[in-house]
Amino acid sequence: MFRIPGFAAYWSAYTVSAFGSYVTTLALQVLVVATLHGTALDVGLVSAARWLPYLVLGLVVGALVDRRRRVPIVVGSDLGRFVLLSAVAVLGILGWLTIPLLLVLVAAVGLLSLTGDAASQALLPRIVPRTALLPAHARTDQSDAVAQTTGPLAAGALVTLLGAASAVLVDAVSYLASAIAIASIRVREPVAPRAEGARLGREIAEGLRWVYRHGTLGPMAVGTHLWFLFNAVFGTVFVSLALLGLRLSAFQLGVALAAAGVAGLIGSSLAPRAGRRWGAGRAVIASNLVMTLGWAVVASAPLGLAGWPVVVLLCAGQALYGLGLGLSNANEMAYRQAVTPDHLQARTNTTIRSVNRAMIVVGAPLGGVLATALGYQDAAWIAVAGILLATAVLALSPFRLARHETAP
């Protein structure tokens, strides 16, 4: 993979920014609670501000990105996030940061992340031949798995040693490093003819039609939306089950969550082989079944079990979940990009991601409602049934026959 010009820089930028993002996720939560003396509602509002641009502007940004060269957009977005996160850190250190101001800054970071992610994912097929997209995504998934495992641990250490505001600077610097790496990439970028402003709506509609009327992308997108909905439900239930139902400590919960990252690294390493042997469709379907098994292990944890024995059980469930996620993501992303024409890459990405983020906004509080009304385990089993429904959508559709080598 590193012999492909530009991929080493792309992968390096992806890796450093992924690690920084995990640091900021924890640092911002601590900043709100410990430094700004905010409430749990304030933490939720800051998190929502991060994703709000995806819901409001996702389709528009995708259409605009498809009109322009992608390298300058990624570089500009990275530099903008460097400036904004540095501002958060400096204001926090000086004692001038307030929660309303933080909400504005985080929403602006979210808008730049939306733009940068759309351009970055649309840039990869211009760097990597479509036949190499699967191993390329497997490599970036490995970076995600390592960041998921080590990022929170490093964040905890940085917040303890330096304070939450100073820890945010780590993510800021990571975006500066990412911008430098992306700027070094030399790739031919055809620019689509710039359409008039009045045509923007038609371009958005073109992206929607491409995704949802496509014989394999359509059912894949619907299955992915359902997966995000019930994954958000399960994520909320899992934390509540672990901390309140099973009475684990935060450290024990962290150990269980880290198991998903370790197994995800293994899964992403095996993803190219699984995709070539089984095809993209069957690999994703099998991965969903592995994740379902992992969720079932967690849902079956006896409430009377306590301490490290239950941590081992939760680690097993999380490991199966991480393994399935690692196997699935590279195959899904590579196939999606391989079948999508270059001029529709950003719109395809933002269309699917925007709806996925909407599913998170709905699913996370739904998980809380179900856990409160039915109990942690019953709510967890509902999430298990939901992921089976998402898998059935894929298995009963033409997507089950999708193969990487048949993509144009």
Side-chain angles (χ1 to χ4, degrees):
M1 287 302 305
F2 286 110
R3 296 179 181 177
I4 298 175
F7 180 74
Y10 181 94
W11 177 79
S12 299
Y14 185 96
T15 301
V16 71
S17 61
F19 178 82
S21 295
Y22 276 98
V23 172
T24 290
T25 297
L26 177 61
L28 284 179
Q29 293 174 336
V30 176
L31 184 64
V32 169
V33 175
T35 304
L36 302 180
H37 308 293
T39 65
L41 176 59
D42 294 323
V43 174
L45 290 174
V46 170
S47 178
R50 167 69 175 80
W51 299 115
L52 184 63
Y54 285 84
L55 305 184
V56 178
L57 297 172
L59 300 179
V60 174
V61 168
L64 293 175
V65 169
D66 271 334
R67 296 178 177 182
R68 292 165 174 81
R69 294 193 302 125
R70 289 149 193 180
V71 167
I73 295 176
V74 178
V75 172
S77 298
D78 283 345
L79 291 176
R81 283 178 281 188
F82 164 69
V83 171
L84 289 172
L85 289 171
S86 296
V88 170
V90 171
L91 290 171
I93 293 170
L94 295 176
W96 297 345
L97 189 64
T98 63
I99 288 177
L101 179 56
L102 180 62
L103 288 172
V104 173
L105 291 171
V106 169
V109 170
L111 177 58
L112 290 173
S113 295
L114 165 63
T115 307
D117 290 348
S120 178
Q121 291 202 1
L123 173 64
L124 185 60
R126 290 183 172 179
I127 298 173
V128 176
R130 299 205 172 199
T131 54
L133 282 171
L134 178 55
H137 279 291
R139 180 63 61 85
T140 57
D141 282 352
Q142 290 165 6
S143 296
D144 267 332
V146 173
Q148 181 182 0
T149 304
T150 61
L153 298 176
L158 288 169
V159 169
T160 301
L161 293 173
L162 305 176
S166 297
V168 174
L169 276 176
V170 173
D171 195 16
V173 173
S174 77
Y175 282 116
L176 178 60
S178 174
I180 294 171
I182 295 296
S184 71
I185 295 175
R186 299 292 177 263
V187 60
R188 181 179 175 273
E189 290 209 79
V191 180
R194 181 171 296 185
E196 297 297 328
R199 291 187 55 196
L200 184 61
R202 278 186 282 171
E203 292 178 4
I204 293 172
E206 182 185 11
L208 288 167
R209 286 194 300 270
W210 169 256
V211 171
Y212 293 108
R213 291 185 181 179
H214 194 280
T216 52
L217 280 187
M220 187 187 82
V222 172
T224 301
H225 301 333
L226 288 171
W227 184 92
F228 268 87
L229 173 65
F230 289 103
N231 185 69
V233 170
F234 188 83
T236 300
V237 173
F238 176 75
V239 173
S240 301
L241 172 65
L243 295 179
L244 302 177
L246 300 171
R247 302 193 179 281
L248 300 182
S249 67
F251 176 73
Q252 290 171 322
L253 174 61
V255 170
L257 292 172
V262 174
L265 180 60
I266 298 172
S268 59
S269 300
L270 297 175
R273 182 181 303 177
R276 287 191 290 265
R277 175 172 295 184
W278 301 336
R282 289 191 175 94
V284 172
I285 292 167
S287 301
N288 279 7
L289 292 175
V290 172
M291 284 186 275
T292 304
L293 178 59
W295 286 4
V297 169
V298 172
S300 63
L303 292 180
L305 192 61
W308 287 104
V310 76
V311 174
V312 172
L313 183 63
L314 295 186
C315 282
Q318 282 290 298
L320 287 169
Y321 169 78
L323 178 66
L325 190 62
L327 283 168
S328 174
N329 190 64
N331 281 287
E332 182 181 327
M333 289 297 303
Y335 183 78
R336 180 204 302 178
Q337 291 183 336
V339 300
T340 300
D342 180 80
H343 72 282
L344 285 167
Q345 286 285 350
R347 276 172 284 179
T348 298
N349 171 53
T350 54
T351 295
I352 295 176
R353 284 173 68 91
S354 295
V355 179
N356 288 345
R357 298 307 179 265
M359 294 298 102
I360 295 175
V361 172
V362 173
L366 177 60
V369 171
L370 291 173
T372 301
L374 304 176
Y376 305 124
Q377 289 183 309
D378 286 346
W381 282 114
I382 290 175
V384 171
I387 194 66
L388 285 176
L389 173 62
T391 306
V393 169
L394 301 178
L396 297 175
S397 74
F399 178 70
R400 70 182 184 278
L401 303 177
R403 302 189 66 88
H404 295 290
E405 57 267 29
T406 59

